[in-house]
Amino acid sequence: MYNFEYKNPVKILFGKESISKLAGEIPQNATILMTYGGGSIKRTGVYDQVMAALKGCNITEFGGIEANPHYETCMKAVQVVKEKKADFLLAVGGGSVLDATKFIAAAALFENGDPWDILAAGAQVEQALPLGAVLTLPATGSEMNGNSVITRAERQEKKAFGSPLVMPQFSVLDPECVFTLPDRQVANGVVDAFVHVMEQYLTYNVNSPLQDRLAESILTTLVEEGPKVLAERKNYDAAANFMWCATMALNGMIAVGVPQDWSTHIIGHELTAFHGIDHGRTLAIVLPGVMHIKRENKKDKILQYGERIWDIKDGDADERVDAIIARTVEFFESLGVPCTLPEYDVPETTIDKIVERFKQSEAKFGEKQDMDYLEIEQILRNRL
C-alpha cells in the first residue's frame, strides 16, 4: 500500500428531519446565497424545510443550475454574490448544484485572471467562500469532497477542479429526499456511485486488502440496495443505505494508499459535453469499454471483482473477464440504464471529435498513465 495523507473536515448530519438542524451550522448574521437547480426542491417540500430552518436569516436565492452545471450560469451567480455581499453559500440539491456552488465559492474570490483558468489551466485556488450543503440526490459524493466538474456550454468543454478550500463545512443528508426523485435520477445515482468505486478499485494490486474490501462492500451494497430503492420508492432503509454508499464512494476513504484510474470519467465527460448525456449514463457506456480494452492491465483486479461481487469463478481468465463485463452491463441495464452509444443516438462522427480532442491534448490517462487517444478510440468503438 502506498504512503498517504488523509483529512476530511466535512461534518455530516444524516437522517430523518436533519434539515431542521441547519441553523446551528451556519454562522449567525451570515449573508447567505442559497443555490438550487430547476425548482424541484419547491415541489418536494425541501425548500420549505430549509426556509423554516433558516427563518430570520438573510437569504438570497439563485436557482436554475443545470444538471451539468454551466460555467456561464455559475458566473451569473458570482455576480449575485458580489452584489449582495454574500459571505456563505448553501447548496440545496444534487451533485450538480454542489459542484456549481464549489466553483462559485472559488470564482467569487479569484483574483488571478479569468476564473475559467481554475478549470482549464489548473490555476491555484487560494481562497474561497465557506459553503454548506443539503443533499437531495445521492450520486456524486460531492457532499463530502472538494471536487467539482463544470461545463462551458459555448465551447462544448467539461472540466474538473479540486481544492480542500471548497469542501463543504457540513452536509445534511436526509434519506427521505430520495423518495421523490424520478427513477431515472435514482438509477443514474446508483451507477455513478458504483463507477466512482470502480475508478479507485479496478486498477492493480498494491497489497491493500482493507481498501479492496471497503470498496467491495460499497459495490455489494449498491447491487443489493439500488434495485430496492427503485422498486420500493419509500423504503427508508434502502434509501439510507444508497445515500451513504454514494457518499462513501467518493469521500476519499477508499482512495488512500491505492492507485486510481478515472479514465471512464474523463471520456464520459466528453460525451456529456458533445451530447448532453446524463453523467451517470456516460459512465455506464464507457466503463465496459475500458474493462475490455484494458483487460490485461486490470486482469487481476477484474477477476477479483468478478469473484467477490458476482461469484464468477468458472472458465479461463479471458472467459471470466468477458462474463464479468457482461454481468456489469446486465446490472446497469437492470436499473434502466443503456450501455451503448447507439442507444443514445451518438453517431460515429462524435467519436472522431472526441478522439481528435484527446489527440490534440497529448494527454495520457489511467492508473499507469498509458492510455492515449488511440486506446480511447478503441474504447468508444467498442460501445457502438
Side-chain angles (χ1 to χ4, degrees):
M1 186 162 59
Y2 298 156
N3 293 354
F4 66 85
E5 295 181 9
Y6 179 70
K7 178 181 180 180
N8 195 312
V10 182
K11 179 178 180 179
I12 298 294
L13 292 84
F14 188 99
K16 296 178 183 179
E17 301 178 0
S18 51
I19 295 174
S20 64
K21 300 176 181 178
L22 262 179
E25 303 301 323
I26 298 176
Q28 292 184 352
N29 302 318
T31 300
I32 303 167
L33 179 70
M34 183 172 75
T35 57
Y36 54 88
S40 62
I41 63 168
K42 295 184 178 180
R43 296 191 296 274
T44 60
V46 171
Y47 175 88
D48 289 339
Q49 292 181 61
V50 171
M51 297 306 287
L54 297 180
K55 185 177 181 180
C57 293
N58 181 9
I59 302 174
T60 298
E61 299 177 26
F62 184 90
I65 293 172
E66 302 84 0
N68 291 292
H70 290 182
Y71 172 78
E72 296 85 351
T73 302
C74 292
M75 292 309 297
K76 291 178 182 177
V78 169
Q79 286 302 117
V80 176
V81 167
K82 293 179 178 179
E83 290 169 5
K84 298 294 184 178
K85 295 182 171 57
D87 54 19
F88 194 94
L89 306 182
L90 179 65
V92 183
S96 293
V97 174
L98 270 69
D99 279 14
T101 305
K102 290 175 182 179
F103 179 71
I104 294 163
L109 300 182
F110 189 69
E111 298 176 348
N112 299 321
D114 186 347
W116 179 244
D117 290 342
I118 296 172
L119 294 153
Q124 188 72 27
V125 176
E126 297 180 351
Q127 54 184 338
L129 291 171
L131 66 131
V134 176
L135 182 70
T136 62
L137 170 58
T140 68
S142 193
E143 64 275 6
M144 203 174 179
N145 64 46
N147 304 325
S148 171
V149 184
I150 303 295
T151 297
R152 190 155 188 174
E154 63 179 357
R155 300 184 185 180
Q156 292 186 307
E157 294 180 359
K158 188 171 182 179
K159 302 288 186 180
F161 86 100
S163 169
L165 296 178
V166 297
M167 296 181 79
Q169 293 190 348
F170 65 86
S171 287
V172 176
L173 280 64
D174 184 343
E176 291 189 336
C177 290
V178 176
F179 295 172
T180 56
L181 293 173
D183 287 355
R184 182 186 183 102
Q185 290 185 343
V186 172
N188 288 350
V190 174
V191 172
D192 199 1
F194 193 96
V195 180
H196 284 160
V197 177
M198 295 290 271
E199 297 275 34
Q200 301 162 87
Y201 167 78
L202 205 72
T203 56
Y204 54 85
N205 285 311
V206 291
N207 194 16
S208 55
L210 176 59
Q211 296 304 84
D212 283 358
R213 290 188 172 95
L214 287 172
E216 290 158 359
S217 70
I218 299 172
L219 294 174
T220 301
T221 306
L222 287 168
V223 169
E224 294 172 350
E225 301 295 323
K228 290 182 190 176
V229 178
L230 286 166
E232 307 167 33
R233 294 313 313 278
K234 292 193 176 181
N235 182 329
Y236 179 84
D237 289 335
N241 289 327
F242 162 43
M243 180 172 265
W244 189 232
C245 277
T247 300
M248 287 295 292
L250 202 57
N251 67 359
M253 181 64 73
I254 65 171
V256 296
V258 299
Q260 301 177 50
D261 184 351
W262 298 107
S263 61
T264 295
H265 275 69
I266 291 166
I267 300 168
H269 288 168
E270 298 301 322
L271 291 171
T272 298
F274 280 110
H275 282 278
I277 301 172
D278 300 356
H279 172 64
R281 292 175 180 241
T282 70
L283 304 180
I285 296 167
V286 176
L287 178 64
V290 171
M291 293 173 71
H292 176 73
I293 299 302
K294 303 299 287 186
R295 61 172 57 209
E296 287 302 318
N297 283 42
K298 297 176 178 289
K299 182 183 289 184
D300 290 344
K301 292 302 282 285
I302 291 176
L303 295 176
Q304 177 179 304
Y305 157 71
E307 180 174 343
R308 295 185 181 181
I309 305 303
W310 303 120
D311 196 32
I312 295 174
K313 304 175 184 178
D314 298 330
D316 63 30
D318 275 337
E319 289 171 339
R320 280 183 283 158
V321 170
D322 287 339
I324 292 162
I325 295 171
R327 187 65 186 85
T328 304
V329 168
E330 181 184 335
F331 173 59
F332 293 160
E333 290 179 340
S334 75
L335 301 171
V337 180
C339 297
T340 66
L341 290 168
E343 291 173 286
Y344 297 91
D345 298 321
V346 177
E348 287 191 56
T349 53
T350 296
I351 295 178
D352 297 334
K353 292 177 182 177
I354 292 173
V355 170
E356 182 60 26
R357 182 170 279 181
F358 282 113
K359 182 179 180 180
Q360 293 297 323
S361 74
E362 299 183 350
K364 292 190 176 182
F365 308 99
E367 63 268 27
K368 295 183 178 179
Q369 295 293 293
D370 61 353
M371 182 187 294
D372 61 11
Y373 71 94
L374 294 173
E375 281 194 312
I376 289 171
E377 181 174 16
Q378 294 177 53
I379 288 164
L380 290 171
R381 293 200 180 281
N382 175 264
R383 308 315 301 151
L384 287 172

